[in-house]
Amino acid sequence: MKIVFTFRPPRALQAQLSEAFPENEFNYFKSVEEADKLSEAEIVVTFGEDLTEKHIENCPKLKWIMVASAGMEKMPFETIKEKDILVTNARGIHKIPMAEFTIGYMLNHVKRFPELLDFQKEETWNKRLLIGELADKRLLVLGTGAIGTEIARLAKAFRMETVGVNRNGHKNDHFDEINKMDELLMVLPDADFIVSILPSTEETRFLLKEEHFQVMKETAVFINIGRGDLLEESILIDALNSNEIAHAYLDVFLEEPLPAEHPLWSQERLTITPHISSVTSEYLPRAMKIFAHNLQVYKENGSDYENKVDLDKGY
Amino acid sequence: MKIVFTFRPPRALQAQLSEAFPENEFNYFKSVEEADKLSEAEIVVTFGEDLTEKHIENCPKLKWIMVASAGMEKMPFETIKEKDILVTNARGIHKIPMAEFTIGYMLNHVKRFPELLDFQKEETWNKRLLIGELADKRLLVLGTGAIGTEIARLAKAFRMETVGVNRNGHKNDHFDEINKMDELLMVLPDADFIVSILPSTEETRFLLKEEHFQVMKETAVFINIGRGDLLEESILIDALNSNEIAHAYLDVFLEEPLPAEHPLWSQERLTITPHISSVTSEYLPRAMKIFAHNLQVYKENGSDYENKVDLDKGY
């Protein structure tokens, strides 16, 4: 049984796998292009952005694809379905880092840490900088799945009000209030923080328009850690330049990496991070824990897979 | 009945007091030196750092001092006791801002926000910066009162392990484990974050020595939001220079304001803030809410004062 990785985990993780499964051989490659044993693989472990229809066609023994991420927009699902290949992924491991990242920037904003750092660089003791709080502020989360709920859970610990928006308005834990997506314009005016973790679907693509930013508070903070095609970036630039909102934090973009000399880079009151909200030092260890669990299940011909992907739904 | 403030609250707060107590006159002054009606005052509202023994002696009608803060090291308690003057303060209103501030810097550290900001300034998309998490990290809190407990409560929400240290090792909510102060050297080696909110007392003054930093993890983060005399600052500078710890966040100092050209200003891996962890835009509104409650009690000759200070204990 050939197990082929299209990436190289750190040695410590490789050692853990060898120790847990001494009878198996794990073949690690830097990329799918360099994976010369791919065609013999029964199991492929990938980040999910490299496998094409052609790869799948050329792997006659392939039975299981473990995707060590959650975003699978680029997976050739039709071919995978035809060949009845099992797909599992690492969904659920993003919620902790992404929620920490979001709350981190919310605190960074109200506590004015970048300005405090500038005063330190100038060696200036300035007690007059007015610091804010998260307590009693209103957080609006677009998308109330695992990640949005984890953000709301932490926000409640910070004594915030939490409002969620999802497709049907179905209730979720840790949200004081949930609204339907078509009520978005009604709930935006009261929000102090607007966080989107929406995936890219037909319904969410370019969902946010000028009118949405126009009804936000002037002090509002917009955070997008979902997908870059939630809005035309020019709309956000205009909203910031006309002081419709106070600050935006973007971790995702229409084109990634964000191209050199893109106007967003130098936009005032905008913080740019390189699509890293979900990736931390704990990411791969967690993904490999799911893989190890599922490998045990696979070897025992079991059915108790963690994070089995429904090939019809694509998640 | 003269009510004299030795500071000027914002107009909105003044208006709220006048509305709640239309029959009373509130006299606001910029400072105790400018408060020319001080000698006629029955009630004085102060931040607690300006009243001297002489002021108290010169106020024959003084019955009540409301201190709109919690630190009262500079209050002339002996004279106040002799004259049997009621003292109330604003303790308890610090815990929310100080806990938010602490968690904010912990996130700022693990998420490497200042470095991400530098990459943005260079217009560089760098996904290789390894981001950390708070989850599963170990937080050690020196001082397990209201503020320390609030920090631990939030840390538990972030799935951290929380260890507290206090004088007698008495248990407190939100701490997985509590140790006595004389066990400090034993618990320091396992801590990822060490936060001190200790007040300045005979027992805490210069409590932290070289040996304490020597046993900390190289990756440890030290945060002091209590009092500056917890340690000789040269000890911390040495610990940072010899890589005994990764970073320190200081909000309090032996001398405040931190003097110009003090070596701490330009110390690497040290973040300096001007004793502002407790002061936010919500601070005075909360303090004035306590004052308004107590003024009602006072006028009704009641006894249900909020935050009455025990003059023997000084808190």
Side-chain angles (χ1 to χ4, degrees):
Chain A
M1 180 172 86
K2 279 244 173 325
I3 304 173
V4 171
F5 281 63
T6 65
F7 63 94
R8 282 188 196 279
R11 270 158 202 262
L13 288 177
Q14 294 186 20
Q16 278 172 29
L17 282 174
S18 299
E19 199 177 330
F21 302 96
E23 64 288 5
N24 288 111
E25 198 193 309
F26 298 91
N27 302 279
Y28 303 106
F29 297 95
K30 213 175 149 190
S31 68
V32 75
E33 289 77 22
E34 296 185 18
D36 50 28
K37 293 188 185 167
L38 188 68
S39 60
E40 302 159 41
E42 184 172 329
I43 301 172
V44 169
V45 186
T46 166
F47 278 126
E49 302 201 324
D50 51 1
L51 289 183
T52 62
E53 204 179 302
K54 207 173 156 193
H55 288 128
I56 308 290
E57 299 284 3
N58 290 338
C59 296
K61 296 179 185 161
L62 186 58
K63 296 275 191 304
W64 171 27
I65 301 171
M66 165 75 196
V67 184
S69 78
M72 298 183 298
E73 288 102 338
K74 298 184 184 165
M75 291 279 285
F77 275 119
E78 283 310 312
T79 316
I80 291 170
K81 237 168 82 178
E82 267 169 41
K83 298 193 168 276
D84 199 24
I85 294 167
L86 167 71
V87 178
T88 60
N89 71 3
R91 66 172 179 269
I93 71 170
H94 299 80
K95 69 177 189 179
I96 291 177
M98 291 177 84
E100 288 190 1
F101 183 90
T102 304
I103 301 284
Y105 270 125
M106 285 165 54
L107 284 167
N108 197 68
H109 180 78
V110 293
K111 301 302 175 192
R112 304 174 74 165
F113 288 155
E115 286 155 279
L116 285 166
L117 188 58
D118 287 342
F119 281 117
Q120 177 179 354
K121 283 179 187 159
E122 294 164 12
E123 306 200 359
T124 302
W125 183 272
N126 178 2
K127 274 181 88 80
R128 285 169 189 272
L129 199 67
L130 202 59
I131 305 295
E133 291 183 12
L134 293 188
D136 298 324
K137 296 293 191 306
R138 197 169 173 91
L139 167 68
L140 180 68
V141 181
L142 312 186
T144 62
I147 301 161
T149 304
E150 177 73 0
I151 295 169
R153 188 185 67 79
L154 288 173
K156 288 310 296 177
F158 279 95
R159 306 163 191 274
M160 299 182 77
E161 290 173 40
T162 55
V163 183
V165 176
N166 59 34
R167 212 179 296 172
N168 318 305
H170 60 266
K171 300 284 171 246
N172 263 46
D173 283 349
H174 308 299
F175 285 99
D176 297 322
E177 191 186 316
I178 297 257
N179 295 273
K180 288 183 205 168
M181 199 55 88
D182 61 15
E183 298 166 324
L184 183 56
L185 270 171
M186 271 171 47
V187 292
L188 282 171
D190 294 325
D192 297 297
F193 296 88
I194 298 106
V195 176
S196 174
I197 41 100
L198 291 170
S200 173
T201 68
E202 271 181 42
E203 288 154 312
T204 63
R205 224 161 278 145
F206 304 109
L207 173 80
L208 290 192
K209 311 283 190 202
E210 284 91 344
E211 55 179 6
H212 294 102
F213 288 94
Q214 280 158 9
V215 298
M216 291 182 196
K217 286 186 183 180
E218 283 178 23
T219 53
V221 171
F222 173 70
I223 301 175
N224 189 6
I225 56 168
R227 283 291 178 261
D229 58 9
L230 180 70
L231 73 171
E232 286 288 357
E233 287 155 352
S234 60
I235 292 177
L236 181 64
I237 291 177
D238 289 347
L240 286 165
N241 284 339
S242 47
N243 296 309
E244 282 165 14
I245 62 168
H247 203 104
Y249 294 87
L250 298 185
D251 189 46
V252 289
F253 303 88
L254 277 171
E255 192 184 342
E256 296 182 9
L258 186 64
E261 296 177 31
H262 191 288
L264 283 176
W265 279 118
S266 53
Q267 177 64 40
E268 274 182 50
R269 296 182 287 124
L270 173 72
T271 300
I272 288 174
T273 50
H275 203 148
I276 46 128
S277 75
S278 68
V279 184
T280 70
S281 49
E282 311 306 318
Y283 183 95
L284 258 185
R286 282 198 199 111
M288 287 304 104
K289 215 171 141 185
I290 296 172
F291 172 62
H293 168 87
N294 286 347
L295 182 55
Q296 194 61 46
V297 174
Y298 183 86
K299 290 174 69 171
E300 291 166 359
N301 287 312
S303 60
D304 180 28
Y305 288 104
E306 199 173 335
N307 290 352
K308 187 175 168 178
V309 173
D310 182 325
L311 296 180
D312 288 316
K313 292 185 182 160
Y315 59 85
Chain B
M1 178 171 86
K2 278 245 173 325
I3 305 173
V4 171
F5 281 62
T6 65
F7 63 95
R8 284 189 195 279
R11 270 157 202 261
L13 288 177
Q14 294 184 21
Q16 279 172 28
L17 282 174
S18 299
E19 199 177 328
F21 302 96
E23 63 288 5
N24 288 110
E25 197 194 310
F26 298 91
N27 303 277
Y28 303 105
F29 297 95
K30 212 175 147 190
S31 68
V32 73
E33 288 77 25
E34 294 184 21
D36 51 26
K37 291 188 183 166
L38 188 68
S39 61
E40 302 159 41
E42 185 172 326
I43 300 172
V44 169
V45 185
T46 165
F47 278 124
E49 301 203 324
D50 51 0
L51 289 182
T52 61
E53 204 179 304
K54 207 172 156 194
H55 289 127
I56 308 291
E57 298 284 5
N58 289 339
C59 296
K61 294 178 186 161
L62 185 60
K63 295 274 191 302
W64 172 26
I65 302 171
M66 166 74 195
V67 184
S69 77
M72 298 185 297
E73 288 101 338
K74 297 183 183 167
M75 290 279 286
F77 275 118
E78 283 310 312
T79 316
I80 290 168
K81 236 167 86 177
E82 266 169 38
K83 298 191 168 279
D84 199 25
I85 295 167
L86 168 70
V87 178
T88 59
N89 71 5
R91 67 171 177 269
I93 70 171
H94 298 80
K95 70 177 186 178
I96 291 177
M98 291 177 83
E100 288 189 0
F101 183 90
T102 304
I103 300 285
Y105 270 126
M106 284 163 54
L107 284 166
N108 197 69
H109 180 78
V110 293
K111 301 302 176 193
R112 304 177 70 168
F113 288 156
E115 285 155 279
L116 286 167
L117 189 57
D118 287 342
F119 282 116
Q120 178 179 354
K121 283 179 187 159
E122 295 164 13
E123 306 198 0
T124 301
W125 182 272
N126 178 1
K127 274 182 89 78
R128 285 168 189 272
L129 200 67
L130 201 58
I131 304 295
E133 292 184 10
L134 293 189
D136 299 324
K137 295 291 191 307
R138 197 169 173 92
L139 167 68
L140 180 67
V141 182
L142 312 186
T144 61
I147 301 160
T149 303
E150 178 72 0
I151 294 169
R153 188 185 67 77
L154 289 173
K156 288 309 299 177
F158 279 95
R159 306 163 192 271
M160 298 181 77
E161 291 173 39
T162 55
V163 183
V165 175
N166 60 33
R167 211 178 297 171
N168 318 305
H170 61 266
K171 300 283 170 248
N172 262 47
D173 283 348
H174 307 298
F175 286 99
D176 297 321
E177 187 187 318
I178 297 257
N179 295 273
K180 288 184 203 167
M181 199 55 89
D182 60 16
E183 297 165 324
L184 183 57
L185 271 171
M186 270 170 47
V187 292
L188 282 171
D190 294 325
D192 297 298
F193 296 88
I194 298 105
V195 176
S196 175
I197 42 97
L198 291 169
S200 174
T201 68
E202 270 181 42
E203 289 153 311
T204 63
R205 223 160 279 144
F206 304 109
L207 173 79
L208 290 192
K209 311 285 190 201
E210 284 92 344
E211 56 179 4
H212 294 102
F213 288 94
Q214 281 158 7
V215 299
M216 290 181 197
K217 285 185 184 181
E218 281 177 25
T219 52
V221 171
F222 173 71
I223 301 175
N224 189 6
I225 56 168
R227 283 293 178 261
D229 58 10
L230 180 71
L231 74 171
E232 287 289 358
E233 287 155 351
S234 59
I235 292 176
L236 181 64
I237 292 177
D238 289 346
L240 287 165
N241 285 338
S242 47
N243 297 309
E244 281 164 15
I245 63 169
H247 203 104
Y249 294 87
L250 298 184
D251 190 47
V252 289
F253 302 88
L254 278 170
E255 193 183 342
E256 294 181 12
L258 185 65
E261 296 177 31
H262 191 288
L264 283 176
W265 278 119
S266 52
Q267 177 65 40
E268 274 183 48
R269 295 182 288 123
L270 174 71
T271 300
I272 289 174
T273 50
H275 203 150
I276 46 125
S277 75
S278 68
V279 185
T280 69
S281 48
E282 311 306 319
Y283 184 94
L284 259 184
R286 284 199 197 111
M288 287 304 104
K289 214 170 143 187
I290 296 173
F291 173 62
H293 168 88
N294 286 346
L295 182 55
Q296 196 59 45
V297 175
Y298 182 88
K299 290 174 69 171
E300 289 166 0
N301 287 314
S303 59
D304 180 27
Y305 288 104
E306 197 173 336
N307 289 352
K308 186 174 168 180
V309 173
D310 181 325
L311 297 180
D312 289 316
K313 292 184 183 162
Y315 61 85

